[in-house]
Amino acid sequence: MRSFLLNRFAQSLVLLLIVSVIGFAVLNLIPGGPLAQFGLDASMTQDDLNRLTEQLGLNRPLWIQYLDWAWRLLRGDWGHSFRDGAPVLEVIGRHLMATLLLMGSSTVIAIAIGTWIGVRGATKRYSIFDYMATVGAMVALSIPTFWFGLIGIYVFSLRLGWLPAGNMYTIGDESVLNYLHHLILPSVVLALVHVAIWSRYMRTATLDVINQEFIKTARAKGLSERRILMKHVIGNALLPMITLLGMQLPSILTGALVTETVFTWPGMGRLFLDSLGYSDYPVVMGLLMFSAILVVVSNLAADIVVAIIDPRIRLS
């Protein structure tokens, strides 16, 4: 088990290193560079830009800038925002809970509905329900998330008036119910695509378990189909889904970026787009590394959980 954990941890560190190098290089090689936003100020002279370039260390070779940034990152100094001078971690922290709330609620919805559809589709194979679930999954995977968001706003906000069209809460009313009222539409929209993915994987995993010999043995012993399903099938079918949950986190983060933009949700996705627009490179790099760490940790945790549950994984 120790060698398994060390191997996974080493792979995670290498992945984070690669992400940081590529991200830093791409951002700093974009035309205009980190000082592009300052160049839009009519009162900013060339001497001012040169002075800023020297103060920020941007006149040094790129690899030296990267090493300096990486060393400060390891010491906990993620830099300061170009917009207001606030520490990057503080800026991210102000938007973190909004994104985690949106991602967490959409993930719960996707797992609950996707598991039910997948199991029912496998047990009722080639039925009308199974065909409808397959068609629905294909439609959900084919249509962009922002389109679902716009349709949801038009139908449930503009036409019916049931749900708010955006924001995280109503100004002056910060009650839990108000937060939940605003959370319903963006979380459901974000969950739609992942319901389709989860249901397809769950259907395949359930069919694979149903065809195993121990299920046939359970039937031969006279166990009811309901007991076989609840006690033997679902538990074993969910095992590969733990790994899928870790793999789905990047796509959930990407979907959250689009969803937060459509619904003006004040999370990290919207912060990322705003920071790109302002050429706030310290915040952009901070968000990139924070997201990469979040994805790596979630995948590492999923691998550990699977290895603990199934010894065949860690012994292979």
Side-chain angles (χ1 to χ4, degrees):
M1 185 67 175
R2 181 179 299 178
S3 60
F4 172 81
L5 293 177
L6 290 176
N7 183 40
R8 287 291 188 270
F9 185 71
Q11 293 175 3
S12 301
L13 290 180
V14 172
L15 179 60
L16 288 176
L17 177 62
I18 294 174
V19 169
S20 66
V21 170
I22 295 177
F24 191 88
V26 169
L27 280 178
N28 284 274
L29 293 176
I30 292 177
L35 298 181
Q37 190 65 28
F38 294 99
L40 299 177
D41 189 350
S43 63
M44 187 73 66
T45 65
Q46 186 60 44
D47 291 336
D48 294 332
L49 290 176
N50 293 337
R51 185 168 58 254
L52 277 174
T53 301
E54 185 175 353
Q55 289 176 354
L56 296 174
L58 300 177
N59 56 339
R60 299 174 298 172
L62 189 60
W63 66 273
I64 294 181
Q65 295 181 45
Y66 171 77
L67 291 178
D68 178 61
W69 170 82
W71 174 244
R72 287 188 286 107
L73 185 76
L74 292 174
R75 291 185 300 165
D77 180 9
W78 289 44
H80 292 75
S81 170
F82 286 165
R83 296 175 63 181
D84 56 10
V88 170
L89 283 179
E90 180 181 320
V91 175
I92 295 176
R94 292 199 296 260
H95 298 79
L96 176 61
M97 288 309 300
T99 295
L100 292 180
L101 180 63
L102 179 60
M103 289 175 55
S105 59
S106 64
T107 301
V108 170
I109 293 172
I111 292 175
I113 299 178
T115 299
W116 178 77
I117 293 176
V119 172
R120 183 172 177 82
T123 55
K124 305 292 184 181
R125 190 169 30 166
Y126 306 133
S127 64
I128 296 178
F129 178 87
D130 190 26
Y131 285 121
M132 291 179 61
T134 301
V135 172
M138 294 302 103
V139 171
L141 291 171
S142 302
I143 298 177
T145 303
F146 75 87
W147 189 87
F148 283 122
L150 294 176
I151 293 299
I153 291 174
Y154 176 76
V155 174
F156 296 103
S157 299
L158 299 181
R159 300 295 296 180
L160 299 177
W162 292 352
L163 299 170
N167 294 320
M168 192 173 177
Y169 60 89
T170 303
I171 297 177
D173 183 5
E174 299 184 19
S175 62
V176 175
L177 289 178
N178 189 257
Y179 274 97
L180 293 176
H181 193 213
H182 283 75
L183 180 63
I184 293 174
L185 193 53
S187 60
V188 170
V189 168
L190 181 58
L192 280 176
V193 174
H194 303 289
V195 167
I197 296 174
W198 192 273
S199 65
R200 293 295 88 194
Y201 274 97
M202 192 64 192
R203 180 183 184 276
T204 302
T206 303
L207 286 174
D208 182 62
V209 174
I210 288 176
N211 294 323
Q212 297 294 322
E213 293 296 329
F214 70 91
I215 298 297
K216 297 177 182 178
T217 302
R219 289 198 180 101
K221 289 182 178 181
L223 295 179
S224 65
E225 289 295 325
R226 179 179 177 81
R227 185 174 181 183
I228 292 173
L229 181 66
M230 300 301 296
K231 188 175 181 180
H232 299 288
V233 174
I234 294 180
N236 286 279
L238 282 174
L239 187 59
M241 297 297 103
I242 299 175
T243 304
L244 176 65
L245 181 60
M247 295 171 59
Q248 283 293 101
L249 188 58
S251 62
I252 296 175
L253 277 171
T254 304
L257 188 150
V258 177
T259 306
E260 289 176 2
T261 303
V262 173
F263 291 96
T264 60
W265 189 266
M268 294 195 303
R270 185 171 177 81
L271 174 64
F272 183 82
L273 290 179
D274 290 344
S275 299
L276 277 178
Y278 280 94
S279 299
D280 196 348
Y281 285 15
V283 175
V284 173
M285 278 302 301
L287 288 168
L288 178 65
M289 292 307 301
F290 190 88
S291 301
I293 292 172
L294 189 63
V295 171
V296 166
V297 169
S298 66
N299 278 278
L300 184 61
D303 289 340
I304 293 174
V305 171
V306 172
I308 292 174
I309 297 176
D310 190 352
R312 296 173 297 177
I313 303 296
R314 65 173 182 268
L315 295 177
S316 61

